[in-house]
Amino acid sequence: MIKAILFDMDGVLVDAKDWHYLALNRALNHFGYDISRESHLSTFDGLPTKSKLAMLSISVGLPEGLHPFINKLKQLYTMNISNSECKPTFNHQFALSRLKKDGYKIAVCSNSIRHTVEEMMRLSALDPFLNCIVSNEDVLCGKPDPEMYLKAMAELDVQPHECLILEDNDHGIEAAIASKGHLLKIVEPSDVVYSRIKQKIKEIEA
């Protein structure tokens, strides 16, 4: 029986993929660096900012001493965009409220920092339905490592086979599979609807 639903945030509950891309590039541009759209989609999408900066140091020589400042700028720019663009979505509010009413435990597991996750959930009006948030600051290893999902399962007191995980990008999907939870692949946030989640649960429990 499925007892918990674990959601990724960016690209699943919030259409924020471009926000992170634009915010990081805006920070990098101050120092003459840039991530191409192709590289973002093929390599960087879904990774923590710290991992992206480490990869840029290896690939294009970004000085490691700039990492903390660029990271801080990136988070600031992300929140500026979020406060302008992040708004409640009826389908998501309906889905999470119904799942909560049905008795499922609900968590959000994101490679973003905790402040960003909390603010986006607040701006999306989804925070009242959450039992647990796990950010990249709450684990030693972000996705694609499964630690984030395993930590959420432990906090919710459920086993992997009792969890359905909604993920959209390769790094998150890898983490979900490694955690041994059940996976529902999402292409875009509009795919996240109550009826589809319940249908997947029905298939798992059949």
Side-chain angles (χ1 to χ4, degrees):
M1 296 289 290
I2 296 299
K3 296 180 179 178
I5 317 294
L6 280 54
F7 294 87
D8 176 40
M9 184 176 73
D10 301 324
V12 176
L13 289 177
V14 180
D15 196 6
K17 285 187 176 184
D18 264 3
W19 306 350
H20 291 287
Y21 169 69
L22 294 170
L24 181 54
N25 262 355
R26 184 177 173 188
L28 287 169
N29 288 165
H30 288 294
F31 305 96
Y33 294 92
D34 185 83
I35 295 175
S36 70
R37 174 75 61 175
E38 181 182 2
S39 294
H40 167 66
L41 294 174
S42 65
T43 305
F44 293 94
D45 184 32
L47 291 174
T49 300
K50 289 182 179 179
S51 297
K52 295 176 184 178
L53 295 176
M55 292 165 66
L56 287 172
S57 289
I58 294 171
S59 62
V60 298
L62 175 70
E64 291 185 8
L66 290 175
H67 288 194
F69 186 60
I70 292 175
N71 199 346
K72 186 175 181 179
L73 278 178
K74 187 269 178 184
Q75 306 308 334
L76 175 63
Y77 294 150
T78 299
M79 289 316 305
N80 286 344
I81 297 171
S82 298
N83 280 303
S84 172
E85 302 294 334
C86 192
K87 297 176 176 61
T89 301
F90 173 77
N91 283 345
H92 294 168
Q93 289 181 290
F94 179 79
L96 269 66
S97 65
R98 284 294 303 272
L99 291 169
K100 186 83 168 179
K101 186 176 181 180
D102 291 345
Y104 296 104
K105 298 177 181 179
I106 300 174
V108 169
C109 303
S110 172
N111 267 348
S112 294
I113 64 171
R114 174 166 282 273
H115 177 68
T116 297
V117 181
E118 290 176 344
E119 280 299 291
M120 287 193 183
M121 290 298 92
R122 182 185 65 82
L123 291 167
S124 300
L126 297 177
D127 51 330
F129 311 118
L130 304 180
N131 298 99
C132 170
I133 287 176
V134 180
S135 72
N136 70 12
E137 295 178 303
D138 302 313
V139 294
L140 294 176
C141 301
K143 304 171 192 177
D145 192 282
E147 181 186 0
M148 191 172 291
Y149 283 120
L150 295 175
K151 182 176 178 66
M153 292 171 188
E155 289 192 21
L156 297 175
D157 192 26
V158 292
Q159 298 299 312
H161 68 273
E162 297 173 322
C163 298
L164 175 61
I165 301 172
L166 279 68
E167 269 288 359
D168 69 312
N169 66 69
D170 291 342
H171 299 297
I173 289 170
E174 183 179 339
I177 293 172
S179 77
K180 307 299 183 184
H182 298 278
L183 172 67
L184 176 56
K185 293 182 181 179
I186 300 299
V187 176
E188 55 189 27
S190 60
D191 293 338
V192 181
V193 294
Y194 176 73
S195 59
R196 186 177 181 202
I197 296 170
K198 289 293 286 186
Q199 178 59 37
K200 181 66 176 181
I201 293 172
K202 184 178 179 181
E203 292 170 6
I204 294 168
E205 296 179 344

